[in-house]
Structure formats: C-alpha cells, structure tokens
Amino acid sequence: MRDVLAKLLPGWEAGETAGLATVVRTFKSAPRPPGASMAVTAGGEAIGSVSGGCVEGAVYELATEVTASGQPALVRYGISDDEAFSVGLTCGGILDVFVEPLSRKTFPGLDDVAADIAASRPVGIATVIEHPDPAWLGRHLIVRPDGFDGDLGTERVNHAVADDTLGLLAAGRNSTLTYGPDGHRRGEGMRIFFGSFAPRPRMLVFGAIDFAAALARMGTFLGYQVTVCDARPVFATRARFPEADEVVVQWPHRYLTEQLEQDLLDERTVICVLTHDPKFDVPLLEVALRGSKTAYVGAMGSRRTHDDRLQRLREAGLTSGELSRLHSPVGLDLGARTPEETAVSIAAEIIARRWGGGGQPLGELSDRIHHDEAHEPQPRTGPSLQPGRSA
C-alpha cells in the first residue's frame, strides 16, 4: 500500500471509495512480492502494480467490480499455464491477490497509518482475506509496537493477531497467517495478511572513498537509509556523497558504539567497512562483530589484508563464532573492477545473505528461483479464493 497511499488519501478524505488490490501470497517466479498494491480510484485511474504488467487488466476489472459491490474478493492468478497465459502471467508464477473496497467506512484509520509511515514510525495492517463468514472479509487491525487499533471480529482474534505480528513488524516483513475461524492458532479457515510498514533498513558505510560513493548510491537504490561515516572531514562531505541520507565525521568505532547504545540498529542493518586501514577497521569491527545483531558485516581488502585483520581481531579477543559473522573480502565474485561494479558485487552478497541465495547463475540451476517460500501450493478454490479471470 505504501506506493499508492499518497494518491489514495485525497479520495479517501473526500469520502470516495477506491478498489485496492494487494498481493498477499506468491509462488514460483511471481513478478512482484507480497505487499505490492494496485488501486483503482473512484475516477477510474489505475495506480501502482501487482504484477509488473502481467495481470493488471484483469485486476483492474475486478477492482472496479469490488468497488461497486462492496464485497472483497481473494483471487488466484496463474493456477495453470493456460490460464496464466490468458491473463498475461507468462512468467509461470502464481499470485494470490486480495481486492477490497477502500473508504472511510471500510478503513477509518487510514489517515493515521499514513501519518505513521510519513514519520517513519513502525506500523502494520492485518487484514482478513479469507473466512467462512463473508462479513469478516476486509476487516483491519492496525498494529503498532505499543498496541493495536481496530477490530477483526473478536477480542480473541485481535489479541492473537496483534501478538503474532509484532515480530513481523519488527523485521519489516509481510506474511500471511492462518487461524481457526474464532482465532485458534492451530485451526484453519481464517487467513490474515499482515503488511508491515517499518522504517527503511539501515546501511552503514565506513570509509569515505570512491567505492563508498558508489555503494551509497546502490544502497539508496535498494531502499536502505544510508549513512557514510569517516573520521576525516576533508573526505566525509555532503558534496562527495549527495545520495547518502547522512554523512558523519567521527571515528567509526565511536559512531557505531553510540548507535548501538541508542538502540538505533536492528536485525536488518548492514555494515560495510571500506577503510581497509587497521587503525580504523579493527576497532570498528570489534564493535560490529561483538555488540550488534545486524544482518551483515562486510569488510573490504585483499586476502593478505583480511588475514592480517583476522589476526588482529583474534588478538583483541574475538571468538571464532564472532569472526564467522564477517564477510571478507567483501562481495561476490563478479570480476568487479570499478567502484560501481564493486558496489554491485557487495549488494549482490547482501541480497544473497538476506534471502538465502547461493550466488550462482540462475541458468545453471534447476531449483526454484525464489527462496522465501518453502513449498509450492496446490490449486484450490473456495467461496473467497477464485481462479483469476481473463483480461
């Protein structure tokens, strides 16, 4: 919803109803991830995308129908190859798309969610996308770290979903959860889609060199909040790093220590050490490998530099387990030479670590492309899960 929210709000504030389509589950090589949204305004304007163009026509028609009827629908596109081709989903993927009418009546807290997102406050939306009773469909619960607003149907369901989604909110993850119709965690019959709107994950780049400038651009492109830090004021300037969110002049290990003490890093944070100078990177890596629970710690340097660095870190008292968190020399083997190519190499390793990729050419593999789903679904239909229709 994040991508379409700004254009939806004026109509919502004016009392209009829009059709909102959200990808709630994907399988195989689906073109867009869960959480991707497309909206059809009261004036017929299409905003956003659920498939990168593959099934937009069919979704547009369904969103128009849902707006008129007021009845949400959960639709699967790509159940069979023939059907996928008929709606244009030629990638072979499968999408579950939930389409709902969006208005002040159906979602009275939308403006508060928008305010949270604009202020980078963590907020998530739990939506009932499947239930034996159609009256439950489209109900929302707004989840924040300190509580929740809204009503999914019963207090039991509200508290169960709020509790279960706090971890997803902290990690910035979208997911579909299954419950019994009355909120039993081990039951089936009700499905909840949780869309998380957490602040952007952070990328900390240490070392104000040309490789850092390229990596800052890449980090911004990937959606990170990028900080460049260096102790040398002549190099750490806004002019040299215009695309970074923040440029800090400070000794790297002191800055990282302060960030940890203020609890400003989380499990999504990535740390890239590009100084390859022992007086900077050894004390910095001591802090990074000992005191943080970040997603990734990488350090640039030759193999000789890496061996020397490891010896210094061992002498500083780091354990084998702590040293095993270090990715060095940083990046995947792409044959990179330029700063820009090196930035791609580092970003590729970060992405591979995040999603469990191996870094091999996809053309040489026979396994599934995406690693975020453990299995593929069997085709199924029901009162709220319908095969996708032709565009």
Side-chain angles (χ1 to χ4, degrees), residues 292-357:
S292 69
K293 297 180 180 179
T294 52
Y296 176 90
V297 179
M300 177 179 282
S302 67
R303 297 193 186 282
R304 181 175 178 178
T305 298
H306 172 63
D307 291 340
D308 175 72
R309 181 190 292 135
L310 285 180
Q311 181 60 34
R312 292 172 183 267
L313 290 170
R314 289 190 188 99
E315 292 172 356
L318 269 72
T319 66
S320 297
E322 290 167 336
L323 292 175
S324 68
R325 297 182 55 213
L326 177 61
H327 298 270
S328 178
V330 70
L332 296 185
D333 178 16
L334 304 183
R337 292 291 186 272
T338 68
E340 290 75 19
E341 290 173 347
T342 302
V344 172
S345 169
I346 296 171
E349 184 175 40
I350 291 171
I351 293 169
R353 294 296 300 177
R354 178 181 183 184
W355 296 111

Side-chain angles (χ1 to χ4, degrees), residues 38 49 52 73 84 101 112 161 172 213 219 272 282 297 346:
M38 172 182 171
S49 171
D112 292 332
V161 171
C272 300
V282 170
V297 179
I346 296 171

